[in-house]
């Protein structure tokens, strides 16, 4: 599965909209949606820092790693 983005969880806890957050950190709502929905290939540290400042959280509150499931052994 890889990296999971939990921006929506933090937004819900803060009762903040995507549009409001995008405005606070200076990116478009569309670009924030790409990041929020896990479709981004990368995130700049400056963007991550702005997210953390606006949401009053740590990077680990926004991003987490989930290991890929190992393929099941089909020989049984």
């Amino acid at each position: 599965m890889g990296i999971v983005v939990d921006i929506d969880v933090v937004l819900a806890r803060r009762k903040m909209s995507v549009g409001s957050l995008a405005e606070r950190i200076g990116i478009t709502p569309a670009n924030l949606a790409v990041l929020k929905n896990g479709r981004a290939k990368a995130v700049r540290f400056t963007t991550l820092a702005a997210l953390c400042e606006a949401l009053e959280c740590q990077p680990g509150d926004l991003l987490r790693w989930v290991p890929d499931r190992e393929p099941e052994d089909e020989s049984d």
Side-chain angles (χ1 to χ4, degrees), residues 1-18:
M1 181 133 210
I3 301 296
V4 176
V5 181
D6 287 329
I7 292 174
D8 54 345
V9 173
V10 180
L11 277 171
R13 287 183 187 147
R14 303 291 187 273
K15 296 182 174 134
M16 186 183 298
S17 70
V18 172

Side-chain angles (χ1 to χ4, degrees), residues 48-64:
L48 184 58
L51 286 165
C52 290
E53 183 176 350
L55 294 169
E56 298 178 352
C57 65
Q58 294 294 312
D61 297 326
L62 302 175
L63 304 170
R64 62 188 162 92

Side-chain angles (χ1 to χ4, degrees), residues 41-74:
K41 301 275 186 219
V43 60
R44 290 186 174 146
F45 282 158
T46 54
T47 302
L48 184 58
L51 286 165
C52 290
E53 183 176 350
L55 294 169
E56 298 178 352
C57 65
Q58 294 294 312
D61 297 326
L62 302 175
L63 304 170
R64 62 188 162 92
W65 176 74
V66 177
D68 291 331
R69 289 181 32 175
E70 293 195 22
E72 294 182 26
D73 187 6
E74 295 180 13

